[in-house]
């Protein structure tokens, strides 16, 4: 059973692509369309400038989890955090901060 709020957040963009998909990636669009078919999302295109995803989805997931489960005092549900703040993805933050080393050629200009 999908989350009760999922269908409300899913919309087709003005360009006809699902708002859960990377519009430039054909497979992503196909997966989004298949998901929308399962959820029963209307094929009517939205004219909303701000798509109801991202922060709204994170808040809805948090509220749904808090309502569904009696969580232990040590469990925290945050609406949104950067990916690399999670232990299993910490390496992503490290890689992002690595700066490439620019090496200059040892061959003098004009000698080749």
């Amino acid at each position: 059973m999908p989350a009760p709020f999922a269908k409300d957040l899913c919309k087709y963009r003005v360009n006809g692509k699902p708002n859960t998909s990377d519009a430039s990636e054909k497979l992503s669009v196909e997966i989004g369309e298949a998901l929308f078919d399962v959820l029963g999302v209307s094929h009517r295109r939205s004219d909303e400038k701000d798509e109801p995803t991202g922060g709204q989805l994170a808040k809805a997931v948090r509220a749904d989890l808090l309502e569904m489960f009696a969580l232990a005092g040590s469990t925290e549900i945050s609406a949104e955090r950067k990916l690399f703040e999670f232990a299993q993805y910490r390496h992503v933050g490290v890689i992002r901060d690595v700066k490439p080393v620019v090496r200059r050629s040892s061959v003098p200009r004009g000698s080749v």
Side-chain angles (χ1 to χ4, degrees), residues 1-9 39 55-71 75-79:
M1 179 177 133
F5 54 83
K7 187 175 174 182
D8 296 335
L9 295 175
L39 292 175
Q56 290 182 29
L57 176 63
K59 289 174 185 168
V61 168
R62 180 181 186 277
D64 193 52
L65 289 173
L66 288 171
E67 184 177 316
M68 290 179 68
F69 301 104
L71 299 171
T75 303
E76 176 186 331
I77 299 177
S78 299

Side-chain angles (χ1 to χ4, degrees), residues 2 6 10 17 20 26 29 34 40 53 62 67 72 84 91 93 96 105:
C10 295
K17 310 282 174 96
T20 58
K26 183 179 178 186
V29 171
T53 56
R62 180 181 186 277
E67 184 177 316
F84 55 83
H91 65 282
R96 196 188 93 225
S105 174

